Amino acid sequence: MKRAITEQDIDRLAKGGRLVVTREMLLTPAAREYLSRRGISVDYETNTAHARERISEGDLASIIEQVVMEELTSPESSASNSGRSPAPQAPQQVPTVQKEGESDHRYLGRVLDALPQSDLSENRAIVTVVGQNSPGIVARISTAVAQCGGDLADMNQVIVGDYFSLIFVVNLGGLESAGSSFRLFKERLQNEASSIGCVKTLVMHEDIFKAMHKV
Amino acid sequence: MLLTMKEIHETIRMIESENLDIRTVTMGINLLDAPSKEVDALCRFVYDRIYERAQNLVGIAQEVEDRYGIPIVNKRISITPAALFCNGLRSVEEFVAVAHTLDRVAQDCGVDYLAGYSALVHKGVTAADQMLMDAIPHALSSTNRICGSVNLGTTKNGLNMDAVRHMGHVIKDLASRDPRAMGCAKLVVFANAPEDNPFIAGAFHGTGCADVNLNVGVSGPGVVRAALERARNQGRLDDFRSVTELIKKLSFQITRAGEFIGREVATMLGEPVQFGSIDLSLAPTPAIGDSIADIIEILGIESTGAPGTTAALAMLVDAVKKGGTMASSSVGGLSGAFIPVSEDQGMVNAVARGSLSLEKMEAMTAVCSVGLDMVAVPGSTPATTVSGIIADELMIGVINNKTTAVRILPVPNTKPGDRVDLGGLLGELIIMPLPGFSSEGFINMRGFIPAPIHSFKN
């Protein structure tokens, strides 16, 4: 389980205008707002190399095995990893033994449930740009995304005649460490898009889509 | 779990071209602890309390709008029924003064409307209730953002016909104070009024609610209409099962969006604001295509009001409710379908074509929708006839254990067929003809129509 970090926790945890966020910590929206209000910078102590990479399905099984072994063999190292966290988490109870008679996919499901979720998967924006087709649009927009600390997760492009519609799915996990915020990110993209003649730019947080489409 | 591009496109289409929006976030505020003996102290308290609770409502709603890209059209406030917290006042003038204070604080908070200038008289009228009803014509005609309501009957208590008769005169008086009878657009009479309704004009903060609630209403007729139209064009609109399935699915999505936004706004407002409920009603707007009548017509009724209309509307609303209750455990408010004539361009067209009469609308409200809403009649209509229309509509609610309401505008110096433009979300009125026979004898009888029996339902 991740631990939610609220406004009250921040005063306790932040040292010298810096807050170190470990994998086990989850900032609430109010806490994020509080951080930016107080001008506290956020450092993400990452061990999320796996999450950042695109994983092919074939590699999944071996990665799971590797993570399970890591969690099992070195609970101390994972605790020291989050050593700056004042309340160290209990080690994840990742199942390592397939029960008798348990099917493979049920076992895999149990393993996946027990693994920590990636922070990055919980904060994305959907960026939609519509306009007249001209070269370099994707490059311009994606550069702006990167400069704000965003990370492209997915992209889709439809071209009809002279017009195109682009949809980017952007991970926002790096926005704060790049000194940006959702509002600045949105403004930046809208300015960028209108400067290259796009007629419509929508920047929407992913949660509204999830609310409507995922149960 | 990644979203598919199809899902992303679907949501963007609903918001960008099918008028999906959050119709209103309404903050309900408890004022029962107001000191009610002395009017100046009361007004100061009311102003301070409302301002303290609601000053951030508009700003935060806009922030949420910005983040999720879905418009929140109205930001509103509802309060404890004024007759309750003004119980100690001693004159009609003092009640009017309270209305002016409410109007000022609504303006200072930047909200569109403040509702709850209300009285609950279904079991009898207190001195304060009487003064509030008497203050309504002056109060609503001299303010811009205040809405009032009076609950005249409930299934448990029957219908207070003395109050029904009185409200006929109040409505006529209020209408006569403006050439377009605008004040009447801010007044609604109820049977079985819900305590957590986010929609204007009938919103108030019920006595069973927490100190501060946030209730949400969604729009969405445009989304349902567009999806049914696509299904029809693809030849998929030929059996009732597929129609209701489609509507249920859309209602689910619309409701999820509404609840999500409501909870987000409530969370950002912070303590003591609690998310209250989401109202499932499909709320039309004068925008082309954002219309309940259009949906009925896509289902194969040539013009709304033709035989089959009541059945089509009943099926539509039932499917909306089924999808919505699956999507949220906090369904509340009115949760029917609104068929306000002026606010729904398709309804205006149906009245203009002569297919939709007041009597047919009454039938439609019996199965599903909330009531006779934004109905205009000639200014010469006697008060007893207005009361007769109210009695008919509210008795449908009392007998059937549902909410019904009347918002009627007897527009001065008009005759049937005249058009009156109210502007903005209120749209355009067409004056509807009435049979021309009197209900005076019945309306002038004293007392209550008794509560109905709950057995032998036929």
Side-chain angles (χ1 to χ4, degrees):
Chain A
M1 275 294 287
K2 283 180 188 297
R3 203 163 66 86
I5 305 299
T6 61
E7 266 182 62
Q8 285 78 19
D9 296 326
I10 288 171
D11 286 328
R12 206 158 38 79
L13 298 178
K15 300 259 158 57
R18 260 176 97 243
L19 176 73
V20 179
V21 178
T22 64
R23 286 174 66 190
E24 287 77 24
M25 290 157 74
L26 192 68
L27 289 171
T28 64
R32 286 173 201 276
E33 206 178 281
Y34 184 69
L35 284 170
S36 63
R37 211 164 54 231
R38 293 274 309 271
I40 299 172
S41 69
V42 181
D43 289 344
Y44 285 91
E45 190 184 62
T46 45
N47 187 14
T48 49
H50 302 307
R52 280 181 188 280
E53 285 164 17
R54 285 301 207 124
I55 301 166
S56 84
E57 270 182 47
D59 293 341
L60 191 60
S62 67
I63 289 175
I64 289 169
E65 198 183 318
Q66 197 185 325
V67 172
V68 168
M69 289 312 288
E70 249 177 50
E71 296 279 347
L72 254 192
T73 53
S74 56
E76 301 82 10
S77 80
S78 99
S80 71
N81 217 1
S82 52
R84 268 170 288 182
S85 164
Q89 300 279 307
Q92 289 282 342
Q93 292 299 309
V94 180
T96 53
V97 184
Q98 194 164 0
K99 288 182 195 156
E100 237 182 76
E102 187 179 41
S103 68
D104 283 351
H105 73 266
R106 181 156 294 185
Y107 171 57
L108 189 63
R110 275 203 303 139
V111 172
L112 285 174
D113 283 348
L115 289 177
Q117 300 286 309
S118 159
D119 235 295
L120 298 172
S121 70
E122 287 164 26
N123 191 13
R124 293 199 198 90
I126 310 289
V127 179
T128 312
V129 184
V130 181
Q132 208 153 16
N133 203 5
S134 66
I137 288 171
V138 176
R140 293 274 301 266
I141 303 283
S142 51
T143 306
V145 167
Q147 282 168 353
C148 295
D151 176 25
L152 281 188
D154 200 358
M155 206 199 92
N156 177 273
Q157 185 174 17
V158 182
I159 297 179
V160 183
D162 283 346
Y163 286 86
F164 71 92
S165 152
L166 271 175
I167 294 179
F168 296 102
V169 181
V170 181
N171 283 329
L172 302 177
L175 240 57
E176 275 147 74
S177 42
S180 189
S181 67
F182 189 88
R183 190 186 292 265
L184 292 173
F185 173 70
K186 183 170 181 170
E187 275 171 18
R188 175 75 210 279
L189 288 192
Q190 285 180 330
N191 290 341
E192 190 72 27
S194 66
S195 76
I196 49 179
C198 296
V199 289
K200 185 142 228 170
T201 312
L202 305 171
V203 181
M204 300 158 73
H205 196 276
E206 182 196 44
D207 287 352
I208 184 78
F209 294 86
K210 278 188 174 164
M212 290 176 73
H213 295 283
K214 305 291 181 202
V215 181
Chain B
M1 191 164 29
L2 273 178
L3 291 152
T4 67
M5 283 299 159
K6 184 169 168 283
E7 290 166 341
I8 293 173
H9 275 291
E10 215 170 81
T11 295
I12 289 173
R13 185 182 61 211
M14 285 182 187
I15 295 171
E16 285 300 306
S17 62
E18 295 169 3
N19 303 106
L20 173 62
D21 54 46
I22 308 302
R23 174 51 68 82
T24 177
V25 291
T26 304
M27 179 187 275
I29 302 173
N30 173 28
L31 294 174
L32 276 176
D33 55 340
S36 80
K37 289 280 180 228
E38 202 272 311
V39 67
D40 290 335
L42 174 67
C43 286
R44 270 198 304 279
F45 177 92
V46 163
Y47 184 97
D48 291 348
R49 169 61 58 83
I50 295 175
Y51 191 76
E52 176 202 333
R53 300 286 199 218
Q55 57 182 333
N56 294 329
L57 175 66
V58 173
I60 283 181
Q62 279 165 353
E63 205 172 315
V64 170
E65 235 177 331
D66 211 40
R67 184 171 175 84
Y68 297 104
I70 185 164
I72 301 174
V73 181
N74 289 297
K75 294 90 182 171
R76 297 164 172 168
I77 296 171
S78 65
I79 55 169
T80 303
L84 295 182
F85 71 82
C86 298
N87 201 23
L89 298 187
R90 281 177 301 272
S91 72
V92 171
E93 289 68 36
E94 288 181 342
F95 273 86
V96 173
V98 171
H100 289 152
T101 300
L102 293 172
D103 202 35
R104 208 171 71 241
V105 70
Q107 185 172 354
D108 292 351
C109 291
V111 295
D112 307 283
Y113 287 109
L114 185 153
Y117 198 69
S118 306
L120 311 173
V121 301
H122 44 269
K123 191 65 179 172
V125 179
T126 64
D129 292 333
Q130 187 64 46
M131 283 186 280
L132 182 120
M133 287 193 282
D134 291 339
I136 281 175
H138 187 179
L140 295 195
S141 61
S142 59
T143 53
N144 293 317
R145 297 168 197 240
I146 303 306
C147 295
S149 58
V150 181
N151 192 52
L152 297 172
T154 64
T155 299
K156 281 206 182 304
N157 297 299
L159 187 59
N160 184 345
M161 287 298 288
D162 289 332
V164 168
R165 180 175 56 255
H166 188 62
M167 285 310 292
H169 292 286
V170 168
I171 289 170
K172 284 279 293 179
D173 183 359
L174 177 56
S176 70
R177 292 168 187 250
D178 180 82
R180 294 179 299 169
M182 274 295 271
C184 292
K186 298 183 286 177
L187 175 64
V188 56
V189 292
F190 272 114
N192 295 323
E195 296 196 316
D196 55 353
N197 165 21
F199 284 105
I200 300 296
F204 63 84
H205 186 70
T207 49
C209 296
D211 267 335
V212 196
N213 275 359
L214 195 91
N215 300 321
V216 179
V218 285
S219 180
V223 175
V224 176
R225 184 199 57 80
L228 288 172
E229 204 165 29
R230 273 194 301 279
R232 185 186 62 185
N233 295 343
Q234 293 163 4
R236 289 190 287 119
L237 206 63
D238 55 359
D239 76 298
F240 290 110
R241 201 190 63 84
S242 54
V243 172
T244 50
E245 282 301 310
L246 180 60
I247 296 169
K248 278 197 288 189
K249 181 171 166 281
L250 294 169
S251 171
F252 181 88
Q253 292 179 326
I254 294 168
T255 308
R256 293 274 291 192
E259 176 164 355
F260 174 77
I261 295 293
R263 286 193 186 278
E264 200 67 10
V265 173
T267 308
M268 284 180 69
L269 282 164
E271 283 292 319
V273 182
Q274 296 182 9
F275 180 72
S277 59
I278 173 158
D279 189 314
L280 298 181
S281 306
L282 290 180
T285 63
I288 298 296
D290 205 15
S291 152
I292 302 284
D294 283 3
I295 296 175
I296 291 170
E297 288 165 19
I298 283 173
L299 290 172
I301 305 290
E302 187 182 1
S303 179
T304 298
T309 299
T310 309
L313 186 57
M315 176 182 75
L316 167 71
V317 177
D318 185 60
V320 167
K321 286 177 189 167
K322 284 170 178 163
T325 41
M326 162 104 187
S328 168
S329 299
S330 310
V331 175
L334 297 166
S335 288
F338 295 148
I339 47 171
V341 179
S342 70
E343 298 170 17
D344 183 321
Q345 192 55 43
M347 296 289 285
V348 174
N349 295 342
V351 173
R353 282 192 294 259
S355 66
L356 183 62
S357 65
L358 202 61
E359 292 73 20
K360 184 64 180 180
M361 284 185 67
E362 192 181 302
M364 290 159 77
T365 65
V367 291
C368 57
S369 90
V370 175
L372 293 176
D373 197 10
M374 293 302 286
V375 170
V377 293
S380 57
T381 310
T384 48
T385 303
V386 173
S387 292
I389 293 169
I390 292 172
D392 281 349
E393 181 60 37
L394 298 193
M395 233 16 232
I396 289 174
V398 170
I399 288 282
N400 292 312
N401 202 6
K402 76 191 282 293
T403 304
T404 49
V406 177
R407 184 159 52 144
I408 189 168
L409 293 82
V411 185
N413 307 314
T414 54
K415 56 183 190 312
D418 286 356
R419 284 169 181 258
V420 181
D421 192 0
L422 297 178
L425 270 181
L426 293 173
E428 185 190 37
L429 289 167
I430 298 185
I431 309 297
M432 295 177 103
L434 291 169
F437 299 98
S438 169
S439 18
E440 209 176 320
F442 183 72
I443 296 301
N444 283 337
M445 276 197 274
R446 305 280 149 190
F448 284 68
I449 293 181
I453 191 162
H454 291 293
S455 181
F456 313 116
K457 291 224 168 191
N458 286 307

